[in-house]
Structure formats: structure tokens, C-alpha cells
Amino acid sequence: GKDGSCWTSHGHASALKVSATEAATIGRAMSNNDFSVFQASGIVVEGIKYQFLRGDPDMGLAVAKKKDHGSLTLQTSNTAIVITHTAEGQTQGVSNNGTNSLCEYLISQNY
């Protein structure tokens, strides 16, 4: 969530295992549409620092990439932050579209 809480478990083999510290940092930045921490320090998930590529405060969107690790798409709904990972060599646009669709659904359900 925007407060840094995780809404999913780390039980699935493909789950992103975002630490509490990472989630809190992401939550603060995304909630405030303040990408300066991402610009200065990247976006860290699972201890891996992804280079911040761009942010769109109007969409609540941030995009990052790490060579040989793939890319991240982060987008906010009213109360959640959806984070998707795109494997290296795959098309991030597909992840961006899926993330946006999920956020639009959450917003329609008042989340």
C-alpha cells in the first residue's frame, strides 16, 4: 500500500520480495509523487538497485531498469502501489499496460 504495507505474500516463487524498508521508501516517494529519492538512489527492490528512468506524477507512475535484471513498473491507485517486474529481454510495454489496467480496476473498486 501507499503506507509501505505489503498486500501480497512472498510465498510464490515468482513473487517480488520487497523488504519493509524498501516498501516504506517506495510508499513515501509514490504517495508524494516525489521521485527525487529515486533519481538520487534508484529504486531498490530485493536489494537490487534499479536505475530510475522516468516518472509521471499525473499517472502515479515510475519506471526503472537494471541491466541483466530487467525492469520495474510502479503505479499507484487510491491506496495501493502495484509493482511489476519485466524479465530482461522482455517487452516492458506489456507490463506497463498490465500495471495500468490493474490500477484502473483498483481505482474503480475504491482502492
Side-chain angles (χ1 to χ4, degrees), residues 21-34:
T21 302
E22 295 166 349
T25 300
I26 290 168
R28 277 191 303 277
M30 297 296 289
S31 292
N32 297 319
N33 283 321
D34 179 7

Side-chain angles (χ1 to χ4, degrees), residues 6-57:
C6 289
W7 289 17
T8 60
S9 72
H10 295 159
H12 191 279
S14 296
L16 283 175
K17 293 156 185 72
V18 182
S19 75
T21 302
E22 295 166 349
T25 300
I26 290 168
R28 277 191 303 277
M30 297 296 289
S31 292
N32 297 319
N33 283 321
D34 179 7
F35 303 125
S36 61
V37 68
F38 295 159
Q39 292 166 334
S41 304
I43 299 175
V44 180
V45 173
E46 293 185 327
I48 299 168
K49 178 182 169 184
Y50 291 79
Q51 179 183 355
F52 175 73
L53 299 177
R54 68 181 175 90
D56 183 339

